[in-house]
Amino acid sequence: MKAWEIQSPGGIDSLAITEHPTPKPDFGQVCVRIMASSINNRDLSTILNPQVRNVPWGRVPNSDAAGEVVSVGEGVSRFGVGDRVAGCFFGDWTSGPISSQIMSSALGGPQDGVLAEEVVFFESGLVMIPDYLSWQQAATLPCAALTAWRALVESGGVKAGDNVLLLGTGGVSLFALQFAKMHGARVILTSSSDEKLQKASALGADQVINYRKEPHWNEAVLEHTRGLGVDHVVEVGGSGTLAKSIDSTRVGGHIAFIGVLDTSELDITGLMRKSIRLQGMYVGSRSLFLEMNNALDFHKISPVIDRTFTFDQAPAAYQYMQQARHFGKIVISME
Ligand SMILES: NC(=O)c1ccc[n+]([C@@H]2O[C@H](COP(=O)([O-])OP(=O)(O)OC[C@H]3O[C@@H](n4cnc5c(N)ncnc54)[C@H](OP(=O)(O)O)[C@@H]3O)[C@@H](O)[C@H]2O)c1
């Protein structure tokens, strides 16, 4: 069977398709024929800077995939041949708080990832996917969707009438938009592109701001919230946006700190002055994934997929993400 590998520090050009032995499930393991894998910004940065993440040469990239169970090892009780499943970002995080041991079970980083025709998982690192989702849609869930769910629902406790600020129109932010609307919250969303802002409005964003045209977008957020600020920020920008996110947040509000897309200088005095709760977070557990899938199934939310590439076109998919023209998720399909 074929798998993509990161073979040297040469960035996207260092990716190569290689032939691997067909994997066999051991005790407690499940072999999955991968039908689709989605790309996260973290997968791109792992390929661009493998040494920073201590990734060895030959590492298979990508954390997110959905597929069909083709064989199960002894002792497997939750899955059978033909089941439709998705892998968990952390193969070893069933529930409870994160630990350093769990961190070392992340796919497509410390462990081989899923950009392969067949992958073996422990059954505790898999979930069933809702029937209404296509393979491509289900492959978008393990990282971006679960992180957005954790940010707003688990950590934030978002509720009807809350104000939510979202930055940009990437995978995490658009899932956060859909989850915020699912809970009856009001969404203010920023983007570099008017065309993307129009699409975000069509998806339910209540107020939109072009952060290129309005570099002091925090002032616009305050205007939209009668000077009070938002209850929640899903912060994917990092140090380059955090000070403005803090300024945009109400006294006693919540910022889920998720990404570092912009590393400019940072002044965080307002964090203390406004008693804001800043919570760093890294994806979520299997039990939270099951909870999210339940809600997705009930509300029949459709993940936003910008573009789908074939398995052979994987390098072009990463190049497309690098151009940042996407709205939502980029998927590699094996169907
Ligand atoms: N901690 C975690 O568990 C976790 C999980 C998933 C992702 N992440 C991180 O979260 C970040 C987003 O991930 P993703 O997969 O959603 O990325 P993505 O799909 O590539 O989305 C990136 C988008 O962010 C927007 N953006 C970039 N710079 C911005 C800035 N300075 N201000 C506002 N928006 C900006 C742009 O949207 P526009 O084109 O609309 O401007 C861009 O298209 C990455 O840093 C990623 O590593 C962390």
Side-chain angles (χ1 to χ4, degrees), residues 39-45 53 89-90 143-144 147-148 150 167-174 189-193 196-197 211-212 217 235-237 240-241 257-262 280-284 321 324-330:
I39 303 182
N40 293 289
N41 210 286
R42 170 251 193 194
D43 303 315
L44 172 63
S45 66
R53 293 174 184 261
F89 181 95
F90 292 108
C143 179
T147 303
R150 182 161 170 220
L167 309 183
T169 56
V172 173
S173 298
L174 290 192
L189 179 142
T190 71
S191 172
S192 57
S193 145
K196 290 183 181 182
L197 288 174
Y211 64 82
R212 289 261 158 78
W217 47 265
E235 172 46 81
V236 296
T241 51
F257 189 78
I258 282 172
V260 276
L261 292 166
D262 178 342
M281 62 191 65
Y282 198 9
V283 198
M321 175 168 269
R325 298 208 324 256
H326 57 290
F327 179 84
K329 295 296 298 177
I330 300 167

Side-chain angles (χ1 to χ4, degrees), residues 63-75:
S63 57
D64 292 13
E68 185 179 357
V69 173
V70 286
S71 59
V72 298
E74 272 184 56

